[in-house]
Amino acid sequence: QLTRLTHLKNLSLLKCEKIASKGLASLPTSLEKLNLNICIQLTDANLAALVRLEHLEELNLSSCKKITG
């Protein structure tokens, strides 16, 4: 489980086509940088799971075509 990686600062899920809310909810809260570039199944609703990442400084959502905002 990713939640056990309490010191993880950077994570790239580039082209991870199956990531969704459940996967995002399991990310460690220690993340400062998260790359979700070309995660084509992500939607605006899925991003609500990222609210708990209080240390997140950089988020890449490039080419996530289902994200509108």
Side-chain angles (χ1 to χ4, degrees):
Q1 269 187 342
L2 288 174
T3 53
R4 293 182 180 185
L5 302 174
T6 57
H7 298 290
L8 186 65
K9 302 289 185 200
N10 301 314
L11 180 63
S12 178
L13 297 174
L14 174 71
K15 294 185 181 180
C16 187
E17 297 176 0
K18 297 189 182 208
I19 191 84
S21 296
K22 188 174 181 180
L24 294 178
S26 70
L27 295 175
T29 57
S30 59
L31 283 180
E32 294 175 358
K33 295 181 181 182
L34 178 59
N35 181 4
L36 297 173
N37 188 13
I38 316 173
C39 292
I40 59 174
Q41 295 302 319
L42 282 183
T43 65
D44 295 333
N46 298 136
L47 296 183
L50 299 180
V51 171
R52 56 189 260 311
L53 301 179
E54 59 191 46
H55 301 288
L56 193 64
E57 296 175 4
E58 188 176 314
L59 176 62
N60 183 349
L61 296 171
S62 299
S63 300
C64 296
K65 297 183 189 282
K66 293 185 179 181
I67 306 253
T68 61

